[in-house]
Amino acid sequence: MTWRIAYLRPRQTKMERGTGWHISCRYVPVFLPSKSSSMYKCEKTRASSLAPSERIAVRLNANATTFFREDIQQAIRFPCVQTLVLPKIHSVQDLDDVSESIFEGYRYSGDGHSRSPNGPPINIVASIESAKAMHNLGTIAGWQSRYGHAFGGRLSALLFAAEDYCADTGIIRTRSRQELLYTRSHIVVTAKAFKLNAIDMVCVNYKDLEYLREECEDGRRLGFTGKQAIHPSQVDVIQSTFVPTSKEILRAARILKQMERAHLSRKGAAGLALEGGGMEMIDAPMIKQAENIVRVALAAGLVVPDVE
């Protein structure tokens, strides 16, 4: 699963997750009351109307709360729910607890039906929001369920909850974000080391779209694959920033074309003409970067030009 945006929308005193906007993954309003209540029946019908192919994520209560286990039991009953977003993951013990609850949820048969483990495994997004979590980041990112992916879920992304992290560590937030550079970089590098997605922090100033764009560009340069949003006005900016630019796509296409020609000519290297003159040598790392840019562009529905 590739993430560009996780969107949370406030509604009165609750957080309603979801939107009709075209986004890569969305949080939807699936409330999880007791299954005997009329609210449960209403929400079951609502969730069942969502297509199983949609990328639907449900943010649950933390595993230390009394609501956690029932949240999982109810959430995984809906095939459309492919991802569980877990707050306050501080250690692998928290992920073990989550996985055990998922395993129990597969066996849960409150109305005679249960989710089939033969489908895609449930993705887990771990929210990193404490000093303890940062201290344990490597073991968290390398976690595997003792029940296997099919029954215990698989970790798919690390998400940075900056406000909670600052509250826990005493870090003072500034517009420069310099105080969070180490933390954000560490999360990205660790996520990439374990083939996970890295989801950047929320921009709480939802009315300043220029600052949001600056923060998005900063996050993409650091290597984040997506970003959280809290308001509809943020969606377009995030979506347009966490994809390659037309200039980047053109350059990537030219690199791949040049290497294709070099291989046909039995050459092991090639050069790329630079704007303003000069030549740039194309080597293996540049090819890998170009391939990644083209892959992301195509996944986002962008046009990759044919070049000569």
Side-chain angles (χ1 to χ4, degrees):
M1 173 182 286
T2 299
W3 295 69
R4 270 190 287 161
I5 178 173
Y7 169 42
L8 291 81
R9 180 175 63 198
R11 186 186 67 174
Q12 297 176 358
T13 59
K14 291 183 179 290
M15 291 299 291
E16 178 177 345
R17 284 90 176 169
T19 177
W21 297 59
H22 176 70
I23 58 181
S24 298
C25 186
R26 59 190 178 119
Y27 295 171
V28 296
V30 180
F31 301 111
L32 304 169
S34 168
K35 78 179 191 66
S36 62
S37 70
S38 59
M39 175 64 80
Y40 168 78
K41 295 175 183 178
C42 174
E43 290 305 327
K44 180 177 179 181
T45 301
R46 183 179 190 175
S48 299
S49 67
L50 295 167
S53 61
E54 287 196 78
R55 293 176 176 178
I56 304 300
V58 175
R59 186 185 186 278
L60 305 181
N61 288 291
N63 65 316
T65 67
T66 58
F67 309 104
F68 169 69
R69 293 190 182 277
E70 185 176 3
D71 277 1
I72 284 190
Q73 288 176 352
Q74 302 299 349
I76 70 172
R77 297 167 70 80
F78 303 115
C80 62
V81 176
Q82 298 183 3
T83 301
L84 302 179
V85 181
L86 278 304
K88 306 192 184 309
I89 298 297
H90 305 301
S91 67
V92 291
Q93 286 74 29
D94 293 323
L95 289 172
D96 285 339
D97 199 20
V98 170
S99 183
E100 181 179 348
S101 296
I102 292 174
F103 178 72
E104 292 174 354
Y106 273 115
R107 300 187 299 167
Y108 182 70
S109 56
D111 58 1
H113 299 283
S114 60
R115 185 188 188 112
S116 171
N118 296 323
I122 291 177
N123 294 294
I124 298 171
V125 176
S127 182
I128 306 302
E129 46 191 87
S130 68
K132 184 177 181 181
M134 284 298 297
H135 180 72
N136 295 323
L137 195 60
T139 55
I140 290 173
W143 172 84
Q144 298 283 332
S145 170
R146 67 169 67 98
Y147 303 106
H149 289 167
F151 286 96
R154 66 180 175 194
L155 188 65
S156 63
L158 301 179
L159 178 150
F160 181 38
E163 303 307 319
D164 295 274
Y165 180 76
C166 288
D168 183 64
T169 59
I171 290 175
I172 299 173
R173 289 289 305 272
T174 67
R175 285 181 65 89
S176 73
R177 302 172 300 278
Q178 184 178 3
E179 66 281 354
L180 294 175
L181 177 59
Y182 165 76
T183 303
R184 293 167 72 212
S185 298
H186 189 33
I187 288 173
V188 168
V189 172
T190 305
K192 298 302 175 69
F194 291 92
K195 309 300 182 184
L196 305 175
N197 284 293
I199 306 172
D200 202 6
M201 59 191 182
V202 164
C203 180
V204 294
N205 189 347
Y206 63 89
K207 290 190 176 182
D208 190 341
L209 297 185
E210 284 306 310
Y211 178 70
L212 170 64
R213 186 176 300 279
E214 176 189 322
E215 192 170 287
C216 288
E217 291 172 349
D218 178 43
R220 183 168 175 251
R221 283 193 298 268
L222 289 176
F224 280 101
T225 48
K227 188 175 183 66
Q228 303 165 78
I230 55 172
H231 193 275
S233 65
Q234 297 180 318
V235 173
D236 279 345
V237 173
I238 295 175
Q239 285 288 78
S240 63
T241 307
F242 277 90
V243 292
T245 64
S246 57
K247 186 175 181 178
E248 290 170 340
I249 295 171
L250 177 60
R251 181 175 183 273
R254 291 176 62 207
I255 288 173
L256 297 179
K257 189 66 174 182
Q258 286 294 92
M259 282 309 301
E260 179 184 339
R261 289 174 176 169
H263 290 159
L264 289 174
S265 303
R266 299 183 179 274
K267 296 179 180 178
L272 182 69
L274 298 175
E275 292 183 8
M279 293 288 290
E280 184 177 16
M281 186 185 73
I282 301 173
D283 56 5
M286 289 180 63
I287 296 171
K288 183 177 180 180
Q289 291 176 29
E291 290 172 341
N292 288 337
I293 288 172
V294 169
R295 175 179 54 80
V296 172
L298 292 174
L302 302 178
V303 175
V304 177
D306 290 327
V307 294
E308 295 300 329

